[in-house]
Amino acid sequence: MRPIRLLLDGFGPYAKAQEVIFGPDLRLFAVTGPTGAGKSTLLDAITYALYKATPRIGSTGLKELKHPQAESAKVELTFAVGEQLWRVVRVVGKENQNRLEFHQNDAWRTHPASEKVRELDAKLTEILGMDYETFTRAILLPQGQFDLFLRGSPKERRETLIKLYGLETLKAMRERVTGRLEDLKKQKARLEGELAALAEADEERLGALRDEIATLEQSEHALTQKLQEAERTLKKLEELVGLWGELESWCRRQQTWENQQARIAEVAARLARAERAERIWPQVEAIQQAETELQQAQQALGQDQSELEKLEAKFGDLRARYQSEKHQALEQQMHQLPLLRSKEASLKRYGGSLGLRHPNPLPFEEDRLDQLRDAERLFAELEKARIGAQRAQERLQDAVQEVQKAQALSDELKKNLGALADTGKQHRARLEEAKQALEQEKLQQGLEAYHAHLKVGEPCPLCGHPVQTLPPPKPQADLQALEAQVEHLETTVSELRAQYAAAQQRLKDLDDRLPRLQEQQEKLQGEAEEARKAHAELEAQAKALGSLEQVREERTQRLAALAEEVRAMTRGKEVAAYAKWLEQELKTLQDLKQETDRLEAQVAALKGKTQSQAEVVRVLQNNLARQRESLLALLHEAQFDRIEAAQGARLRPEEVEALQKRINEHALEGAQIASNLEALQEKLKGQPPIAPAQVTEQRSRKDSLHQELDSIKKSLGGKRTDLQRLDEYLKRKRQLLQEKAELEKQIDLWEQLASDLKGDRFQDFLLERYQSGLLGRASQLIASLSQNRYSLQLEDGEYFVFDRWTDALRPVRTLSGGESFMASLCLALSLSEHLSRGRIGALFLDEGFGTLDAETLEQVAGVLEALPTQGRLVGIVTHVEALAERLPARLEVYKSPAGSQVRWRD
């Protein structure tokens, strides 16, 4: 993983958006800035983007990351894993956001895992190949956790290295091998079980079955021939028995046919009588139709006469209710509605209502009301101008006060800067004096160390001249007190320098801000003057109009007169309600008039219809009398004494068809009987009758042969099925034996692989190799930093340091703060170098350089400068200026009133 671009907005001390570009040529750089500026926050942003957690806060309380002046905190990190570019965006605020994108075909695309936060977090862990703990132990070493890898337990270190080197795949491999071996053994057990079930399948058993089948097939052929001969004999006997039985049946049918002759004659007579009745029946139906028509005409005449009486009564009632004079008056009022609506619109347009009343109304005049409305608007604008002028003056006063405060603060800062400069000069002079006194005392005490080696007459160890007289020992000052005084003065000078820089920055920001405040003051002064003039002009215009109350009173008087006029015309109703009432009244009268005219027309039409209907009844009565006389003559001719007799003789068409069909079928049946009797007698000519016992005996013989043949076929089918089954079993058995041999070979191979991967031996072997190389490189680095004093060793999973000065091996937990930092730094650099060709493309260090003495710090700087980056990005967070100046690039973080900011400085 190598960062490409980091964007922070509202995150930690970064109130405004800040962007950090990690260019392709960037290798080694320092992150510098004053305490609290936000150096470590840059690393927090990286871990928050990748794992939604930070070393200082963890994974809870993330809202604390938001700047107090920002609505939300946003982090956007673009990074590369191999050749693939990724971008993760996280926002904490009113609406949290979590989004993962990938670069494809020159465009950013949202990854499907962005739909759920847990899926997104899991996908990032998969992409990076490590979890949060591993990341903060090997790639980003935060404050307070720098030596976690060095001082961690062997188990924690083991888990971290397994993840970094990708050795977790060995565990998965071991599980897959075990699973595969279990599957193969299950397959072998299944094959053995199936082979046990096929034990009966062998060549000897198949040969015996084939012999049995051949013998049964011969018996089947012989029985089949006998059965066919028996079936032919039985069929011939059954045919002769059938012919004699058929002859007897036809003789019986002939006797039955002759007995039905008399009944058929009666059917023919009934058909003839029905035919005569059918010829006269149309006349009967005509009379019945005439009677029906006469009855219907009489009923219609009665209904028309009854309806005419009702209509005449209703018409008289409606004609008495309709008032033509009222109808005309309502129509005239309807024509006045547009005028009423116009008056009501004028009333509402000028702010009046129909309920408005006044004891002293004035005539309604639109021109005068327009003037009054303009006057009211003028008074409203006057009030608005007054408020505007007042607010402009208040803003001007605020701006004047702010300029005065800024000017006073600037003067105070300049005075403080002078005082700080004088104080700083005094403390620097005191520091130089203290340093000189310390060096002088160190030199003096160094010389005093040789006093014991001086002897009168012997050469001096320093100059080589003989000692003439032995000087008396001089009193020694407290060296530790002098060193403490120098350290105290250095701290004081650093604090004064920081205070002076902060004051200078505040003065610079104030000097930048003061012209803008003065410009804003001048602008507000102009606005206040314009507002005052506008108010004065409107106030002059309003004096000629009197007061606002007088204007409103006159408007009310004139509108009250118009409201009274409208109420008089609408009888006190609203115009819309009055119009609705008028429309309803008018519609009622119009509907009444239309109904009266309609009933009058209906009465006239119904009178004419009643007269016509009476004439129709008279004509139908005459026609019916003539038809009855004609029908009596036809009944006598057809031999019927009355209509009921003719009606009883009639038959339905289907009855006629059925009787005629019966007569025809009887004739056909007689001809068929005679023909069949003649044919059968010809076939049986010279044939003796067959006894039923002969047929029974032959059928019994045939059934016996059939049962014997079925038994042989059933046995033969079973034998053939057994032969086919055993043949298939034998083929399957050969196949299973071959598969079992192959499985046994595979099981031997996988058992050997499982034995090689058993436990963690292979993983431990790789870890030991990796850690050996890791500690070897770390030992080279720490030896360089410690003047070849220290080296690192691995004993039983624990890290030890070997001290060549004391020739002792001791645990890393016994190292001092500076020594622990050196060891952790060397391990981190070695681990980063070791894995730089894999997933680790960056290393960030955030602690410890302030614990080093000047000599060791110089050596660390040399090591970092000579470090082979191999394409890695190595960032060091430090406030040690001497170290930062040695590195080729610097990311500077500085404070400002608008929030912290970052910039690259070569």
Side-chain angles (χ1 to χ4, degrees):
M1 190 285 293
R2 191 183 198 279
I4 305 297
R5 173 179 173 269
L6 176 64
L7 174 68
L8 303 91
D9 189 359
F11 189 87
Y14 299 95
K16 296 182 179 179
Q18 300 293 310
E19 182 181 50
V20 181
I21 302 295
F22 303 98
D25 298 329
L26 184 63
R27 294 293 184 268
L28 182 62
F29 69 97
V31 182
T32 64
T35 302
K39 301 186 296 297
S40 298
T41 304
L42 295 175
L43 305 187
D44 289 342
I46 293 176
T47 59
Y48 170 67
L50 295 176
Y51 296 100
K52 206 170 66 174
T54 66
R56 291 185 290 180
I57 295 180
S59 59
T60 59
L62 296 176
K63 291 187 177 180
E64 297 178 8
L65 298 174
K66 183 174 67 68
H67 192 279
Q69 299 175 0
E71 294 184 357
S72 61
K74 176 182 180 181
V75 174
E76 180 180 307
L77 176 65
T78 304
F79 62 95
V81 177
E83 299 297 325
Q84 179 63 54
L85 285 180
W86 296 89
R87 182 165 67 193
V88 58
V89 181
R90 296 194 190 265
V91 179
V92 176
K94 292 182 179 179
E95 294 184 3
N96 296 340
Q97 294 184 30
N98 297 273
R99 186 171 70 256
L100 177 63
E101 301 173 342
F102 61 95
H103 197 262
Q104 186 181 63
N105 298 330
D106 297 327
W108 286 103
R109 306 178 187 278
T110 301
H111 196 277
S114 300
E115 295 182 2
K116 295 182 178 179
V117 178
R118 289 186 179 179
E119 293 181 5
L120 185 150
D121 296 341
K123 183 62 181 178
L124 278 170
T125 302
E126 176 187 342
I127 293 170
L128 297 170
M130 61 190 81
D131 56 16
Y132 172 75
E133 287 75 15
T134 305
F135 186 83
T136 53
R137 288 171 185 252
I139 292 184
L140 190 149
L141 308 183
Q143 288 183 354
Q145 303 178 36
F146 192 78
D147 59 351
L148 281 181
F149 187 79
L150 176 71
R151 296 177 179 271
S153 67
K155 180 180 180 182
E156 292 174 342
R157 207 159 37 234
R158 171 189 173 87
E159 292 299 323
T160 299
L161 291 173
I162 286 174
K163 294 174 183 176
L164 287 174
Y165 287 110
L167 298 182
E168 64 271 21
T169 57
L170 292 177
K171 182 178 180 181
M173 185 185 301
R174 183 169 64 247
E175 292 175 353
R176 288 198 299 272
V177 168
T178 303
R180 177 60 177 163
L181 186 58
E182 290 178 357
D183 290 342
L184 291 174
K185 289 181 177 179
K186 288 179 181 178
Q187 292 180 33
K188 180 182 177 183
R190 179 180 57 79
L191 291 179
E192 290 175 346
E194 193 171 351
L195 283 169
L198 300 177
E200 63 174 327
D202 55 44
E203 293 291 348
E204 183 179 354
R205 174 64 176 155
L206 284 174
L209 269 176
R210 290 191 180 97
D211 294 341
E212 291 179 14
I213 290 172
T215 302
L216 288 173
E217 286 176 344
Q218 292 176 359
S219 300
E220 179 189 24
H221 180 68
L223 280 174
T224 300
Q225 290 181 342
K226 291 180 180 179
L227 179 60
Q228 290 174 351
E229 180 63 27
E231 287 176 343
R232 285 195 293 269
T233 302
L234 178 61
K235 182 178 180 182
K236 185 175 181 180
L237 290 174
E238 287 176 342
E239 287 177 354
L240 287 172
V241 169
L243 287 174
W244 281 107
E246 188 177 355
L247 178 63
E248 183 180 355
S249 174
W250 282 110
C251 289
R252 289 195 299 271
R253 284 189 64 182
Q254 186 181 36
Q255 183 62 42
T256 302
W257 183 84
E258 291 174 351
N259 294 336
Q260 291 177 348
Q261 282 290 90
R263 179 60 182 164
I264 294 301
E266 293 177 0
V267 171
R270 184 180 176 190
L271 282 174
R273 181 176 174 81
E275 184 178 359
R276 292 197 304 274
E278 202 63 38
R279 285 198 298 270
I280 68 171
W281 195 252
Q283 185 65 24
V284 175
E285 289 180 342
I287 291 175
Q288 293 175 345
Q289 180 64 28
E291 290 175 344
T292 302
E293 290 178 356
L294 175 59
Q295 185 178 5
Q296 291 175 350
Q298 290 173 341
Q299 290 177 352
L301 177 60
Q303 291 175 356
D304 290 344
Q305 289 174 344
S306 176
E307 187 176 356
L308 178 60
E309 292 176 359
K310 293 178 181 178
L311 282 176
E312 286 177 341
K314 188 175 181 181
F315 171 68
D317 180 59
L318 288 176
R319 188 165 55 182
R321 288 167 55 195
Y322 175 67
Q323 301 175 13
S324 59
E325 295 82 2
K326 183 178 179 181
H327 191 178
Q328 293 174 359
L330 289 175
E331 287 180 341
Q332 290 177 358
Q333 294 173 11
M334 181 64 72
H335 293 320
Q336 293 178 352
L337 277 178
L339 176 61
L340 269 174
R341 291 192 176 99
S342 175
K343 290 180 180 293
E344 184 185 41
S346 298
L347 183 63
K348 292 180 178 178
R349 185 168 63 253
Y350 291 105
S353 64
L354 191 61
L356 186 61
R357 300 176 188 274
H358 197 280
N360 300 313
L362 294 175
F364 175 77
E365 296 179 7
E366 286 200 25
D367 294 340
R368 178 57 182 166
L369 281 169
D370 288 338
Q371 295 174 0
L372 294 173
R373 184 168 57 184
D374 293 340
E376 286 186 285
R377 290 175 181 169
L378 180 61
F379 279 111
E381 292 176 1
L382 175 62
E383 179 63 18
K384 188 184 298 183
R386 184 190 66 78
I387 295 173
Q390 182 181 350
R391 290 178 178 173
Q393 187 63 32
E394 291 173 355
R395 289 196 298 271
L396 175 60
Q397 291 176 357
D398 293 341
V400 170
Q401 292 176 1
E402 191 170 358
V403 169
Q404 292 173 351
K405 289 180 181 178
Q407 189 65 53
L409 182 57
S410 176
D411 295 340
E412 184 181 354
L413 284 173
K414 289 177 181 178
K415 182 179 178 181
N416 291 340
L417 281 173
L420 284 172
D422 294 340
T423 305
K425 289 178 182 178
Q426 295 173 5
H427 280 80
R428 282 197 297 272
R430 292 174 58 189
L431 175 61
E432 291 300 324
E433 293 174 359
K435 285 183 176 179
Q436 291 177 4
L438 177 62
E439 292 299 324
Q440 185 66 31
E441 185 62 29
K442 284 183 177 179
L443 178 60
Q444 184 64 37
Q445 291 188 13
L447 293 174
E448 286 295 327
Y450 290 95
H451 189 277
H453 302 285
L454 296 178
K455 294 181 179 179
V456 177
E458 294 183 2
C460 175
L462 294 178
C463 64
H465 294 88
V467 178
Q468 299 296 332
T469 58
L470 190 64
K474 296 182 179 181
Q476 296 182 358
D478 188 350
L479 193 61
Q480 291 184 350
L482 290 175
E483 289 176 346
Q485 183 182 7
V486 170
E487 184 177 354
H488 173 70
L489 288 173
E490 285 179 342
T491 303
T492 304
V493 169
S494 297
E495 291 176 352
L496 288 172
R497 187 181 293 114
Q499 293 176 12
Y500 187 83
Q504 272 188 326
Q505 183 64 41
R506 288 183 63 194
L507 182 59
K508 180 180 178 299
D509 294 340
L510 197 57
D511 289 342
D512 292 341
R513 182 183 174 204
L514 191 57
R516 294 195 297 272
L517 292 175
Q518 292 171 344
E519 182 182 352
Q520 179 69 12
Q521 176 184 342
E522 293 175 359
K523 180 181 178 182
L524 290 174
Q525 191 168 2
E527 292 177 356
E529 183 62 25
E530 290 178 2
R532 187 190 62 77
K533 289 180 180 180
H535 177 260
E537 291 175 0
L538 290 173
E539 193 171 23
Q541 295 176 18
K543 286 182 180 179
L545 298 174
S547 66
L548 178 61
E549 290 74 13
Q550 291 173 342
V551 171
R552 289 177 175 172
E553 177 67 15
E554 183 178 351
R555 181 174 64 85
T556 302
Q557 288 175 308
R558 295 188 182 277
L559 290 176
L562 180 60
E564 182 62 32
E565 182 181 353
V566 173
R567 286 197 300 272
M569 295 176 69
T570 62
R571 301 179 184 179
K573 296 183 175 67
E574 293 285 342
V575 174
Y578 173 71
K580 186 175 181 181
W581 171 82
L582 191 59
E583 289 173 358
Q584 291 176 349
E585 290 292 318
L586 189 58
K587 186 176 183 304
T588 300
L589 289 175
Q590 288 175 345
D591 293 345
L592 193 58
K593 185 176 183 308
Q594 291 176 359
E595 183 67 12
T596 302
D597 295 342
R598 186 182 64 81
L599 286 177
E600 186 177 6
Q602 286 182 354
V603 168
L606 195 55
K607 284 182 178 179
K609 182 180 177 182
T610 302
Q611 293 174 358
S612 299
Q613 191 66 29
E615 181 62 23
V616 169
V617 170
R618 186 185 63 79
V619 171
L620 288 174
Q621 288 175 340
N622 294 335
N623 290 339
L624 181 60
R626 289 194 298 271
Q627 287 176 342
R628 285 174 176 169
E629 291 178 358
S630 175
L631 178 60
L632 290 174
L634 289 173
L635 286 171
H636 180 71
E637 181 180 351
Q639 302 178 1
F640 292 109
D641 55 352
R642 60 186 186 279
I643 294 176
E644 288 75 13
Q647 185 176 6
R650 292 184 69 216
L651 295 173
R652 295 191 305 275
E654 56 270 21
E655 291 179 328
V656 172
E657 183 180 359
L659 292 175
Q660 187 63 50
K661 180 180 179 182
R662 183 176 178 186
I663 292 172
N664 295 337
E665 288 176 350
H666 183 73
L668 289 173
E669 185 182 9
Q672 184 182 6
I673 290 172
S675 175
N676 288 339
L677 283 173
E678 183 180 358
L680 285 170
Q681 288 171 355
E682 181 65 26
K683 287 181 180 180
L684 293 172
K685 188 175 182 180
Q687 292 289 341
I690 301 299
Q694 293 177 268
V695 177
T696 302
E697 182 182 356
Q698 186 62 28
R699 183 177 291 112
S700 175
R701 184 169 181 272
K702 188 265 299 182
D703 291 341
S704 177
L705 289 171
H706 194 278
Q707 289 176 359
E708 187 177 356
L709 182 61
D710 285 345
S711 176
I712 289 176
K713 284 183 176 181
K714 186 180 295 184
S715 177
L716 185 60
K719 297 296 183 182
R720 287 172 177 167
T721 301
D722 291 343
L723 178 64
Q724 183 180 2
R725 177 176 58 81
L726 287 176
D727 190 39
E728 291 176 355
Y729 282 2
L730 188 58
K731 292 178 182 178
R732 178 60 179 164
K733 185 176 181 180
R734 293 174 185 144
Q735 180 184 356
L736 291 175
L737 289 171
Q738 185 177 358
E739 290 179 4
K740 181 183 177 184
E742 292 294 329
L743 273 177
E744 288 173 345
K745 292 180 182 179
Q746 292 187 39
I747 289 172
D748 292 341
L749 177 63
W750 284 93
E751 283 180 341
Q752 182 62 42
L753 183 57
S755 176
D756 293 340
L757 294 175
K758 187 176 182 181
D760 294 328
R761 288 181 298 175
F762 189 49
Q763 192 178 69
D764 291 342
F765 168 74
L766 292 178
L767 279 177
E768 184 177 355
R769 291 286 302 274
Y770 289 150
Q771 290 200 83
S772 175
L774 174 67
L775 289 180
R777 175 56 176 157
S779 292
Q780 293 176 4
L781 293 172
I782 198 171
S784 176
L785 294 179
S786 64
Q787 299 179 352
N788 204 33
R789 177 180 177 180
Y790 295 127
S791 64
L792 295 173
Q793 296 182 14
L794 179 67
E795 299 288 343
D796 297 328
E798 290 282 0
Y799 282 1
F800 289 84
V801 61
F802 180 72
D803 188 346
R804 292 186 178 88
W805 288 9
T806 61
D807 198 26
L809 186 69
R810 53 196 176 102
V812 293
R813 289 188 294 274
T814 64
L815 294 176
S816 65
E819 292 171 337
S820 179
F821 171 76
M822 264 197 314
S824 297
L825 175 63
C826 294
L827 273 174
L829 295 176
S830 174
L831 183 62
S832 180
E833 280 186 24
H834 212 218
L835 297 175
S836 60
R837 298 178 182 177
R839 288 171 288 184
I840 295 185
L843 175 65
F844 295 96
L845 310 175
D846 184 15
E847 184 178 351
F849 297 99
T851 64
L852 303 179
D853 56 46
E855 183 179 359
T856 306
L857 183 63
E858 178 67 21
Q859 293 171 347
V860 168
V863 168
L864 292 175
E865 287 177 330
L867 190 67
T869 59
Q870 300 176 345
R872 285 170 300 152
L873 183 70
V874 179
I876 297 173
V877 180
T878 180
H879 61 273
V880 180
E881 192 69 19
L883 177 61
E885 291 176 352
R886 294 285 298 271
L887 302 185
R890 181 187 299 189
L891 182 63
E892 190 174 73
V893 182
Y894 59 96
K895 300 178 182 179
S896 73
S900 295
Q901 301 180 37
V902 296
R903 63 187 175 194
W904 284 106
R905 199 176 85 183
D906 295 335

